[in-house]
Amino acid sequence: MRKKLVAGNWKMHGSLTDNAALLSAIKPALAGMEAVVCVPFPYLAQVQAALSGSSIAWGAQNLSDQPKGAFTGEVSAAMLLDFGCKYVIVGHSERRSLFGETDAVVARKYVAAQAAGLTPILCVGESLEEREAGITERIVARQIDAVIEAAGVASLARAVLAYEPVWAIGTGKTATPEQAQAVHAFIRSKIAALNATIADGLTIQYGGSVKASNAAELLAQPDIDGGLIGGASLIADEFVAICKAAAN
Ligand code: PGA
């Protein structure tokens, strides 16, 4: 059976004080349960110290596609490994839309993450305009194909996918379980056409305004294998409840 996995994406939120409170609340509540928090770079050391030896893994929200060099402001995969990261989010829609990351850039970051032994959480998803134009599947397929072309379909055995409709991110507007399931099933069948075993084992998270109140119905869908949680991952009770919904 494939693994259900919930990951928090803190985005550019937090402080040493706030993080300490959040981590000390979620750590005992999630004891023995697998979960992930993806935090801002400066807090990786704090999270490593707080979560080492626990069942909660951690990661970053971005990385450079380059291994080292004169790239001011960038952070390499090896640096993330130095702080015990297991995961890194790649191609989040905010990176794509606000920081100009193209499919090609995202694919290079995915390759760099895997080359270092990190598990990329590859985000895909359509904008509202694209959904209304009826091209959701075409957009998601294009985003996935860029990575398959760069790294091969077998690389997905060492990755997590996150379907995040852009119109549902941070808007309070969640995709209905049926809308999300339809795209998840499309993604899995698209990958199954290349490799059925990889498709069957691939964890595909849903992201976009997931909260404790809607997590169970989303996670009950056959092709939804967890969540990538933004806003609700900053609230201990919410994040814990979502992780528990995934475990049930
Ligand atoms: P949200 O963000 O849960 O705040 O909608 C999800 C994400 O962007 O990963």
Side-chain angles (χ1 to χ4, degrees):
M1 225 179 71
R2 59 183 167 258
K3 182 160 97 170
K4 277 209 164 56
L5 186 68
V6 173
N9 173 11
W10 289 6
K11 308 196 179 183
M12 198 171 73
H13 293 291
S15 66
L16 287 172
T17 310
D18 291 351
N19 303 345
L22 178 58
L23 293 165
S24 66
I26 64 171
K27 189 175 153 181
L30 296 177
M33 291 172 58
E34 207 176 335
V36 183
V37 289
C38 294
V39 310
F41 295 133
Y43 299 129
L44 285 171
Q46 180 189 24
V47 168
Q48 180 180 32
L51 297 179
S52 286
S54 81
S55 58
I56 307 173
W58 58 94
Q61 303 165 11
N62 185 28
L63 82 167
S64 172
D65 63 347
Q66 298 296 318
K68 65 159 87 170
F71 301 105
T72 302
E74 292 290 281
V75 173
S76 72
M79 292 172 186
L80 301 183
L81 282 180
D82 261 351
F83 289 91
C85 289
K86 195 164 165 205
Y87 294 91
V88 61
I89 297 173
V90 170
H92 189 279
S93 70
E94 286 149 18
R95 300 293 323 166
R96 292 178 190 263
S97 68
L98 303 173
F99 300 96
E101 291 192 10
T102 60
D103 289 337
V105 169
V106 172
R108 287 203 299 273
K109 292 186 173 196
Y110 174 99
V111 168
Q114 286 197 331
L118 293 164
T119 300
I121 300 177
L122 172 68
C123 300
V124 299
E126 82 288 2
S127 66
L128 183 59
E129 215 174 30
E130 290 161 343
R131 173 160 285 262
E132 285 172 348
I135 57 171
T136 295
E137 292 187 357
R138 200 208 301 168
I139 296 299
V140 169
R142 189 203 72 211
Q143 292 168 333
I144 294 171
D145 283 340
V147 163
I148 292 178
E149 272 164 37
V153 69
S155 74
L156 291 169
R158 291 173 288 119
V160 169
L161 227 65
Y163 167 60
E164 299 203 304
V166 178
W167 47 272
I169 294 177
T171 58
K173 224 173 153 184
T174 322
T176 65
E178 295 72 27
Q179 280 174 322
Q181 165 59 25
V183 181
H184 282 236
F186 164 73
I187 291 172
R188 202 178 307 282
S189 69
K190 173 188 163 44
I191 294 166
L194 299 171
N195 186 320
T197 311
I198 297 278
D200 197 45
L202 179 65
T203 295
I204 309 178
Q205 300 173 322
Y206 169 77
S209 299
V210 179
K211 0 182 216 294
S213 58
N214 61 21
E217 55 174 3
L218 286 160
L219 291 162
Q221 299 298 314
D223 289 293
I224 300 183
D225 311 313
L228 184 55
I229 319 300
S233 73
L234 299 168
I235 304 163
D237 290 349
E238 283 280 316
F239 189 62
V240 167
I242 296 165
C243 291
K244 288 192 170 160
N248 282 336

